[in-house]
């Protein structure tokens, strides 16, 4: 984050039409102690990027030497071209390590459309569990192009921020506005910048180049004349951005409540009239910086130097964006990537060990529960048949009942052990339903569909299985969502039906007992399935 060692309140703004320098001092209010302006020919800066660095460097060297600015340290404001804003949340307990976490996210996890970014962040709020951040990122080469050309010409750059934050700071200090749900429009010659703020923080930026007649130089006295077509284009773009903010960024839950217009007097008045007419439900404000006296002493030229003045006061803010490239960031990048990879590996190993011990304990509990239920069911069935047999004719002998019990009883622990041992690496048994008279319904999680197929082959080769069918195999979204891993987990759920050997075979003498045993066992298994199959 931004830190100042110098007592100088000097700011410099680079705009498409010119470069402005201002130094401030404070008595009762802030006043401009020194102000300088360098008009730029058309084509030096195009769409907020330096097109002719050599020509700009020569102009700056002559201007800095002529105005006595050599060696001055300045806070720099640059146009918002190619600067991206991303939201990010981190555990509240890790807020002290926010610098490292943001750096790791930007360099390894945040998919930016450019290489070698420079970045900074603001903490926008906290809740019980997390801290919420806004991360600002820009191509390093873009920022360096501005810094290098200034330092080569003889100035020293102490910090770099974007025009949206410097302009908003000046407006907030002058008018004491909160920027709760606010659109800030900055019109400067043929360039219109649209900034959208929520709770005092910028969340979206867009720059539009207007179709106006081009002039060789832009002077402080000159004002571009907006045409009716330009006003219509601006109003259409503003409406589109309002809808984007309300419906795309916030799903219709919030909307922009006010629009603030800054720029030259003629441009502001024309744009304000169009906005009032087309957006009657919004509050429209214009800021000129010299018709009212707030944080700044009245000065007829303050409006022209609004961004440079806001940048000069960056040291007054509690949280300030600083995109000045830091050499140590590049040298430390490899070490942070290695540390991050080590942390991920340790977390994955810990998760795997935890899962293994959990499943082992769970399987042991399942084995014991199934065995108890099987023994209890056989005992109840035997007693029931004895009672039925003692009631009169049609009863079944005790020997027939014992034969039926022996026929249908199976070594559950051994079967479950074979099913579990055949699981593929990383597989887990999620559910098992045992119908002793027909089949076993088995649900497992595997890493790949190939593992599911291989497991089917193993099940079919088991001695107790007459046949095995796979009923379904699909990606299990709930398993991935419940994972505590820091990397995405892909899990597939497969459902198998195991038809047991000899389930249809009964002899004639024991058919009645077998039938009764089958019905009773089905009822017991149904209750087990309904009330909590083994997990």
């Amino acid at each position: 984050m931004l830190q100042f060692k110098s007592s100088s309140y000097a700011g410099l703004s680079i705009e498409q039409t010119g470069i402005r320098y201002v130094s401030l001092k404070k008595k009762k209010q802030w006043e401009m102690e020194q102000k300088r302006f360098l008009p730029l020919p058309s084509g030096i800066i195009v769409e907020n990027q330096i097109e002719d660095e050599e020509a700009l460097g020569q102009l700056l060297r002559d201007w800095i030497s002529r105005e006595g600015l050599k060696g001055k340290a300045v806070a720099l404001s640059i146009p918002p071209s190619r600067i991206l804003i991303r939201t990010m949340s981190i555990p509240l307990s890790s807020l002290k390590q926010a610098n490292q976490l943001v750096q790791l996210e930007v360099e390894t996890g945040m998919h930016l459309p450019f290489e070698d970014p420079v970045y900074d962040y603001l903490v926008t709020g906290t809740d019980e569990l997390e801290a919420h951040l806004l991360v600002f990122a820009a191509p390093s080469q873009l920022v360096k192009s501005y810094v290098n050309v200034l330092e080569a010409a003889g100035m020293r750059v102490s910090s770099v921020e974007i025009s949206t934050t410097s302009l908003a700071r000046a407006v907030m200090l002058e008018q004491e506005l909160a920027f709760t749900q606010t659109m800030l429009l900055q019109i400067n010659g043929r360039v219109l910048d649209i900034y959208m703020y929520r709770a005092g923080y910028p969340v979206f930026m867009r720059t539009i180049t207007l179709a106006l007649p081009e002039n060789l130089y832009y002077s402080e006295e000159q004002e571009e004349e907006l045409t009716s077509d330009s006003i219509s284009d601006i109003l259409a773009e503003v409406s589109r951005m309002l809808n984007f903010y309300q419906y795309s960024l916030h799903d219709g839950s919030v909307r922009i409540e006010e629009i603030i217009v800054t720029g030259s007097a003629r441009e502001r008045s024309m744009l304000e009239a169009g906005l009032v007419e087309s957006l009657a439900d919004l509050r429209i404000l214009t800021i000129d910086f010299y018709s009212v006296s707030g944080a700044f002493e009245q000065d007829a030229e303050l409006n022209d130097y609004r961004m440079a003045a806001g940048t000069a006061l960056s040291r007054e803010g509690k949280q300030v964006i600083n995109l000045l490239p830091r050499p140590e960031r590049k040298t430390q990048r490899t070490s942070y990537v290695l540390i991050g990879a080590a942390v991920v590996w340790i977390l994955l190993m810990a998760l795997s060990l935890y899962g293994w011990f959990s499943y082992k304990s769970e399987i042991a509990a399942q084995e014991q529960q199934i065995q108890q239920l099987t023994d209890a069911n056989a005992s109840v069935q035997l007693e029931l048949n004895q009672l039925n047999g003692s009631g009169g004719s049609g009863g079944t002998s005790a020997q027939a009942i014992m034969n039926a019990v022996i026929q249908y009883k199976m070594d559950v622990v051994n079967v479950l052990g074979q099913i579990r041992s055949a699981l593929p690496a990383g597989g887990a048994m999620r559910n098992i339903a045992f119908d002793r008279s027909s089949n076993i319904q088995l649900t497992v999680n595997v890493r790949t569909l190939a593992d599911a197929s291989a497991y089917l082959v193993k099940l079919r080769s088991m001695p107790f299985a007459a046949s095995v069918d796979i009923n379904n195999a699909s990606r299990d979204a709930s398993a991935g969502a419940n994972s505590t891993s820091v990397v995405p987990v892909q899990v597939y759920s497969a459902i198998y039906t195991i038809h047991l050997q000899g389930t249809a075979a009964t002899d004639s003498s024991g058919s009645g007992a077998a039938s009764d045993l089958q019905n009773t066992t089905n009822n017991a298994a149904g209750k087990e399935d309904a009330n909590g199959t083994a997990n």
Side-chain angles (χ1 to χ4, degrees), residues 116-127:
D116 193 20
V118 290
Y119 50 88
D120 206 349
Y121 68 93
L122 299 175
V123 180
T124 61
T126 59
D127 54 33

Side-chain angles (χ1 to χ4, degrees), residues 282-353:
L282 298 182
R283 181 188 180 200
I284 310 297
L285 301 175
T286 60
I287 307 295
D288 57 23
F289 290 96
Y290 53 75
S291 62
V292 293
S293 181
F296 296 96
E297 185 177 85
Q298 287 189 352
D299 190 312
E301 293 183 291
L302 179 59
N303 189 66
D304 295 329
Y305 291 85
R306 57 192 177 274
M307 282 192 292
T311 302
L313 293 176
S314 58
R315 64 182 296 181
E316 294 293 299
K318 294 182 180 179
Q319 292 193 93
V320 180
I321 289 297
N322 183 11
L323 296 177
L324 184 66
R326 305 175 189 178
E328 66 273 14
R329 282 180 173 173
K330 187 171 183 179
T331 59
Q332 292 177 351
R333 180 180 303 168
T334 301
S335 62
Y336 277 118
V337 171
L338 292 175
I339 292 172
V343 169
V344 171
W345 183 83
I346 291 172
L347 290 175
L348 288 175
M349 289 298 298
L351 181 62
S352 299
L353 289 173

Side-chain angles (χ1 to χ4, degrees), residues 20-92:
R20 289 181 170 85
Y21 166 87
V22 66
S23 63
L24 302 176
K25 65 178 181 179
K26 188 171 185 180
K27 294 180 181 178
K28 292 183 178 180
Q29 297 169 298
W30 293 103
E31 64 177 80
M32 292 193 295
E33 183 179 29
Q34 188 180 23
K35 52 184 179 289
R36 299 289 185 268
F37 175 68
L38 172 64
L40 294 179
S42 175
I44 295 289
I45 296 179
V46 177
E47 295 184 354
N48 288 335
Q49 299 189 62
I50 299 175
E51 286 293 317
D52 192 339
E53 189 170 339
E54 183 177 351
L56 179 59
Q58 185 60 51
L59 288 171
L60 279 170
R61 283 190 293 271
D62 296 341
W63 178 64
I64 290 172
S65 177
R66 183 172 64 252
E67 301 294 347
L69 301 178
K70 193 167 186 178
K72 294 283 187 181
V74 295
L76 175 63
S77 170
I78 64 174
S81 175
R82 299 186 68 194
I83 296 175
L84 301 181
I85 303 175
R86 295 286 189 269
T87 58
M88 177 180 172
S89 296
I90 62 174
L92 188 59

Side-chain angles (χ1 to χ4, degrees), residues 120-280:
D120 206 349
Y121 68 93
L122 299 175
V123 180
T124 61
T126 59
D127 54 33
E128 294 181 356
L129 299 177
E130 293 182 321
H132 305 289
L133 315 179
L134 274 182
V135 180
F136 297 77
S140 175
Q141 189 58 41
L142 174 71
V143 179
K144 286 179 180 179
S145 66
Y146 290 108
V147 174
N148 291 344
V149 74
L150 282 171
E151 293 188 339
M155 300 191 84
R156 293 185 293 116
V157 178
S158 59
S159 66
V160 178
E161 68 174 328
I162 50 180
S163 58
T164 176
T165 54
S166 58
L167 178 61
R169 185 182 301 112
V171 173
M172 289 178 182
L173 288 173
E174 183 64 19
Q175 298 291 321
E176 297 184 354
L177 298 174
F179 280 57
T180 305
Q181 305 286 351
T182 303
M183 174 180 284
L184 177 61
L185 300 181
Q186 152 80 354
I187 186 165
N188 187 4
R190 298 190 309 112
V191 176
L192 173 69
D193 291 324
I194 302 176
Y195 312 126
M196 288 188 282
Y197 279 75
R198 183 179 188 189
Y201 297 99
V203 295
F204 187 78
M205 303 177 294
R206 180 171 172 79
T207 298
I208 301 172
T209 301
L210 304 175
L212 296 176
E214 293 200 17
N215 299 289
L216 181 61
Y217 281 87
Y218 181 87
S219 66
E220 293 177 273
E221 295 80 14
Q222 177 186 2
E223 291 187 4
E224 298 278 7
E225 182 75 18
L226 291 176
T227 65
S228 58
D229 289 341
S230 297
I231 294 293
S232 297
D233 292 342
I234 292 173
L235 295 178
E237 188 65 25
V238 167
S239 296
R240 194 172 74 85
M241 290 297 100
L242 291 174
N243 289 330
F244 173 78
Y245 179 88
Q246 180 175 355
Y247 297 109
S248 297
L249 292 184
H250 301 293
D251 296 325
S253 59
V254 296
R255 62 191 293 266
I256 292 294
E257 298 172 354
E258 64 181 3
I259 299 178
I260 299 175
V261 184
T262 65
S264 65
R266 178 64 176 168
E267 292 169 331
R268 287 197 316 269
S269 62
M270 294 180 67
L271 187 52
E272 179 188 17
L275 290 170
V276 169
E277 181 179 353
S278 63
L279 301 170

